[in-house]
Amino acid sequence: MAPLLVAVIGGYLLGSVPVAVLVGRAHGLDPREAGDRNPGFWNMMEQLGWKAAVPVFAGDMLKGTAAGLVGLAVSGGETGTLGTVAGASVPPVYAAVAAAMAGHAWPVFAGRRGGRSILTFSGGFAVLCPPAFALGIALLIGTSLALRSFAWGTRVAVFSLPALQLLFAPAVHVAGTGLLMCLIGLRFGQAAVASRRA
């Protein structure tokens, strides 16, 4: 129980670091009050350009990766095929990544006004299933080049991750990944409702 608790608390605190807000502040912008009001990579790119958005991209991904590594460390670091999380490490790592995504979405350090957790999920998935993550990166690059659209490359890569994970992990792990992705869907739904009210 203790490893799970540490994983959740650590993951939530890591996820709560408001990278986009901090980067935006350095440029005199609050992304929660500009564009689509989403404090994440895409809004920062549209408001301030690639140069300012790259640290947000890296920071939001690293939050998920760091949370997953915390979960792995406190649970004995059990891994299987090509580093895929296994055994007693599965629940704490999934819990840590979920908590980081929740922290990103409802950050304690930024008035609970956060982003949609896509990059935090992706960074966490790199710990959950490294080989599927690597294939996802290859798919991202290939699709982006073929369609000349990084946005479409990202969509294809992210939505392909559960299918790619099936090549290396049992179906129950893929179901867990699906639950993580439901958090992203929840955030998009909340954003749509807020937009209609506005």
Side-chain angles (χ1 to χ4, degrees):
M1 199 64 190
L4 198 60
L5 189 60
V6 171
V8 168
I9 294 172
Y12 179 75
L13 293 176
L14 284 166
S16 286
V17 177
V19 179
V21 174
L22 295 173
V23 172
R25 189 175 295 162
H27 292 272
L29 174 83
D30 185 345
R32 298 169 299 177
E33 304 297 338
D36 66 2
R37 301 188 179 197
N38 177 45
F41 167 73
W42 291 109
N43 194 28
M44 289 291 288
M45 184 178 66
E46 289 175 356
Q47 301 305 312
L48 297 172
W50 278 94
K51 189 174 181 181
V54 166
V56 177
F57 185 96
D60 284 351
M61 279 199 72
L62 285 172
K63 291 192 299 186
T65 302
L69 290 174
V70 167
L72 196 62
V74 300
S75 61
E78 287 191 50
T79 57
T81 306
L82 298 175
T84 299
V85 69
S89 291
V90 173
V93 175
Y94 270 91
V97 174
M101 292 173 66
H104 181 82
W106 303 284
V108 69
F109 303 130
R112 291 184 170 64
R113 295 173 61 196
R116 293 170 189 164
S117 303
I118 298 170
L119 289 173
T120 304
F121 160 74
S122 300
F125 187 80
V127 178
L128 291 169
C129 191
F133 177 78
L135 290 177
I137 293 294
L139 192 56
L140 166 65
I141 294 170
T143 304
S144 297
L145 291 174
L147 300 180
R148 296 182 181 179
S149 170
F150 183 71
W152 273 106
T154 302
R155 290 184 187 109
V156 170
V158 169
F159 284 107
S160 296
L161 290 178
L164 295 173
Q165 187 180 14
L166 268 175
L167 300 172
F168 307 99
V172 66
H173 292 197
V174 179
T177 298
L179 289 175
L180 293 178
M181 294 179 79
C182 285
L183 281 173
I184 297 171
L186 173 62
R187 288 298 292 133
F188 272 94
Q190 286 183 324
V193 169
S195 178
R196 286 176 188 169
R197 287 177 178 169

